[in-house]
Amino acid sequence: MSRAELEADLRSGLWSQPATLPPRWFYDERGSRLFDEITTLPEYYPTRAEQEILTHRSGEIIALSGARSLHELGAGTATKTRELLDALTAQGRPALYAPLDISKEVLLEAADRLRTDYPALNVEPAVADFHHLPPLSGEPGERLLVFLGGTIGNFEEDERSGFLDMVHAALAPGDHLLLGADLVKDPDRLVAAYDDGAGVTARFNLNLVDVITRTTPVTGLSRDDLVHEAAWDDRASRIEMRLRAVRDITADFTGIGRTWRLAKGEHLRTEISRKFDLGLLRDELTEHGFEPVTSWTDAADDFSLTLARVAGRDDGTP
């Protein structure tokens, strides 16, 4: 992503109350690799829970969706997606995988590995932000759009509504959406998942400061002035990741001609992670033109995958 895009987010976010930036700026090459490290930590259950579902249900997911092409938003290294790709390619028919991610280096490396491991699979990576979907290839009615990792929880309520409308508009009747969502549970477990004992999540959060200082001219902003924290907001049913100031900060953003001040003890919110009630989430999908087919959870009921079909197909398919 460009300096202009970052500066636009800085203008709209740093001077709001509370100060905030969208989490997409986490994911430069280093941030993407740190996140992959986070997914292996003992405290971070979502990846293992989602992997458990995919291991046991990928064949069923591909069969129920009738997918011939798989499109993944925020694909990263596509590690978990291999279960779905195994099921997709097991059909012995031509198949397409179209991963989309903002981290070019990570995406292209993953695409090269997949071409080696799945020689019959057509891999078409696209470097893009999933807030702005490019036209989807593949045959309408045979596409499966995958959004894993619980990333749907990173949106505010109105943003999530707009995202689901955008996804619905990008798909055709008979296409399917596979949506990963983290479920409500003990707040202590939730906080630990976003504030691990090894400090990997802290490094991931603070890497945002490095992305800013590398991308746009700024003086007076240092990662040493901020500390990572994670907090549970029971009212909004979400975790908030923050960078809290340990001293008064005065940062001059010369590229946009503005000075940002953050007093000691105040924070910059860098991510939210909403946790869902599965029944309410299925209702929300219905409100946005999707027909939930089925949902699966892991054995501990920590995480869910929901397969939903785009309504409107008129060929008699149930």
Side-chain angles (χ1 to χ4, degrees), residues 10-11 14-16 217-221 249-262:
L10 291 171
R11 287 189 190 94
L14 290 189
W15 287 271
S16 61
V218 57
T219 58
L221 181 64
I249 296 173
T250 301
D252 292 316
F253 287 90
T254 56
I256 59 178
R258 298 191 69 176
T259 298
W260 179 60
R261 292 178 173 85
L262 190 68

Side-chain angles (χ1 to χ4, degrees), residues 15 32 59 68 74 99-101 131 151 213 224 247 250 252 261 299:
W15 287 271
S32 295
R68 299 280 296 273
L100 182 149
D101 202 273
H131 292 79
T151 309
T213 57
D224 295 334
R247 58 185 63 86
T250 301
D252 292 316
R261 292 178 173 85

Side-chain angles (χ1 to χ4, degrees), residues 138-176:
E139 189 68 26
E142 298 180 346
R143 297 179 294 203
L144 174 62
L145 184 68
V146 177
F147 196 40
L148 300 177
T151 309
I152 190 68
N154 296 153
F155 299 128
E156 296 279 5
E157 303 297 306
D158 58 339
E159 292 174 328
R160 188 169 72 250
S161 178
F163 173 80
L164 291 174
D165 284 341
M166 178 191 68
V167 169
H168 185 269
L171 297 172
D175 287 338
H176 287 76

